[in-house]
Amino acid sequence: MRVLDTVTGTLVDPVVDGAATLYVCGITPYDATHLGHAATAIAFDLLGRAWRDAGVAVRYASNVTDVDDPLLERAADTGVDWRALAAEQTALYREDMTALQVLPPDAYLGAVESIPAVVSAVEQMLAAGTAYRIPTPDAVGDDDLGDVYADLHADPQFGAAAGLDRDTMLTLSAERGGDPRRPGKRDPLDPLLWRRERAGEPAWDGDSLGRGRPGWHIECVAIVRGNLGARLSVLGGGSDLAFPHHEMSCSHMRVLTEDPHAGARVQVHTGMVGLDGEKMSKSRGNLVLVSTLREQGVDPMAIRLAVLAHRYRYDWLGTDDVLRTAEHRLARWRRALSGVGGAPAEPLLEAVRTALADDLDAPAALAAMDDWADAALAGVADPVPGAPGVVARALDALLGVRL
Ligand code: ZN
């Protein structure tokens, strides 16, 4: 079972001694669940299924960023309490995942419930001199504890994984949650670890840090360390998380553990899903939500097949055609499986396993099943009794497609 490590650009088997840990960065719950979220969740679900099928001991953790600037902004824009928005969208996401047959993580945690672990990690970095404070005169309270930032110069490996030039890193940092223009930082790229409470913003007890809330990257780090250990087999997420989020997260893990091999053995990134020629964008409002499709009566298994028809690592467009094709394929497979007997199941199982082992080549797995269905519908000369049942159960287990 090999996957594309986006750091080295090579195919790598992340499993060591029959075991693997997987962490996938989850959603910020304010627009759950658009097709891009679903595609990422399904890609790593396939990985977990392939590993389990091969007898690998898998431990999988994920998170919900249930307090973050975009969530607070959406709540303010719509006049909804941010806690209610987060709870409602998280529940919707979980419902969508159940409908899409995505197996739940072994550990699924929110940022808010991870705050004590974040606080102790940030305190540890301050004590070690790998983090520093910037005064915050606008913070609530009259202490001057300041916001806390990681000092990236403490990590000689910083930037090696993403392999970007400095200008690109600065641009991406500004676009993706960083604040390179914040005065007082030692390096414009240094990421926020702890933000002191400001008027009107939610805040939690931060012990010696003062009341405030966590930075984005350190949240995932706290969950990874607490549930999987700091040497991950696979760190996964959408390709827009490679920098700065995954670069910063791995850097924090190395600095916190003083282990140059901490972080992720392999980073796997999924492509972006666009819609009808446009990049899917919250501001344009052209997000296709899984729940909307379900409400319209689209079979969740057709949505899953639409995702699986695309290789996970490439960008693709979610068009109506893609969905219609998937519905047609689903109906055809069901017809093929409703007959008495069929072509032998074993060659198909072998083809599906081989396809998944080759960097999760789901389109090849689907093509193999198309061939089996073609044969079944054309009429097999020597139908094998029970073959449709074996095929249906195998596709359920390996591809998560319930027929
Ligand atoms: Zn993350």
Side-chain angles (χ1 to χ4, degrees), residues 23 25-26 63 216 220 241 245-246 249:
Y23 184 80
C25 292
N63 73 313
W216 177 25
C220 283
L241 295 184
H245 184 53
H246 287 167
S249 302

Side-chain angles (χ1 to χ4, degrees), residues 253-332:
M253 285 196 267
R254 287 189 292 268
V255 166
L256 276 163
T257 56
E258 299 180 44
D259 171 5
H261 300 290
R265 179 173 157 80
V266 180
Q267 290 191 29
V268 176
H269 293 118
T270 54
M272 298 285 106
V273 182
L275 290 173
D276 287 329
E278 287 190 87
K279 185 177 173 348
M280 198 156 57
S281 142
K282 285 152 205 139
S283 54
R284 289 198 189 98
N286 63 349
L287 299 167
V288 167
L289 301 180
V290 171
S291 53
T292 308
L293 294 173
R294 288 167 51 216
E295 266 166 21
Q296 290 167 354
V298 177
D299 189 319
M301 290 300 95
I303 303 172
R304 185 157 175 128
L305 276 183
V307 169
L308 293 178
H310 300 84
R311 195 76 180 269
Y312 79 88
R313 58 163 114 136
Y314 301 121
D315 296 350
W316 55 280
L317 287 178
T319 61
D320 282 347
D321 274 358
V322 165
L323 201 53
R324 296 293 93 79
T325 303
E327 286 177 321
H328 177 75
R329 180 178 246 153
L330 182 65
R332 204 159 177 284

Side-chain angles (χ1 to χ4, degrees), residues 4-230:
L4 180 71
D5 177 18
T6 51
V7 172
T8 60
T10 57
L11 291 170
V12 179
D13 180 356
V15 175
V16 176
D17 296 334
T21 51
L22 169 66
Y23 184 80
V24 180
C25 292
I27 59 160
T28 299
Y30 62 99
D31 63 352
T33 308
H34 64 64
L35 220 43
H37 295 139
T40 295
I42 288 170
F44 291 102
D45 185 56
L46 275 192
L47 177 60
R49 286 170 183 272
W51 273 341
R52 289 184 180 94
D53 179 55
V56 176
V58 185
R59 184 154 170 85
Y60 170 29
S62 189
N63 73 313
V64 175
T65 308
D66 55 0
V67 59
D68 198 13
D69 292 335
L71 168 68
L72 300 175
E73 284 160 18
R74 175 66 62 92
D77 289 349
T78 52
V80 179
D81 182 88
W82 67 272
R83 281 161 290 235
L85 179 62
E88 171 206 292
Q89 293 292 302
T90 302
L92 191 57
Y93 177 78
R94 298 178 80 151
E95 195 179 277
D96 288 336
M97 291 302 109
T98 302
L100 292 173
Q101 287 236 85
V102 171
L103 300 173
D106 302 297
Y108 191 49
L109 289 116
V112 170
E113 62 189 317
S114 308
I115 284 175
V118 169
V119 169
S120 63
V122 177
E123 288 177 332
Q124 188 193 327
M125 288 173 75
L126 278 170
T130 57
Y132 61 95
R133 301 175 196 265
I134 297 182
T136 52
D138 57 333
V140 173
D142 51 12
D143 56 66
D144 200 8
L145 292 168
D147 293 340
V148 184
Y149 282 81
D151 186 345
L152 290 174
H153 293 283
D155 174 24
Q157 287 186 66
F158 171 75
L164 301 169
D165 62 59
R166 189 162 171 88
D167 282 349
T168 307
M169 288 197 284
L170 286 166
T171 304
L172 290 177
S173 168
E175 285 173 3
R176 297 173 178 171
D179 54 358
R181 291 171 182 278
R182 168 91 191 253
K185 286 166 68 169
R186 293 179 187 170
D187 185 304
L189 291 172
D190 287 348
L192 177 73
L193 295 172
W194 186 255
R195 177 177 166 84
R196 288 300 320 282
E197 181 178 7
R198 307 298 203 277
E201 291 187 10
W204 290 266
D205 178 26
D207 289 336
S208 69
L209 307 177
R211 284 179 62 79
R213 61 186 163 103
W216 177 25
H217 320 302
I218 195 73
E219 283 167 27
C220 283
V221 169
I223 295 170
V224 168
R225 284 182 79 201
N227 293 278
L228 303 173

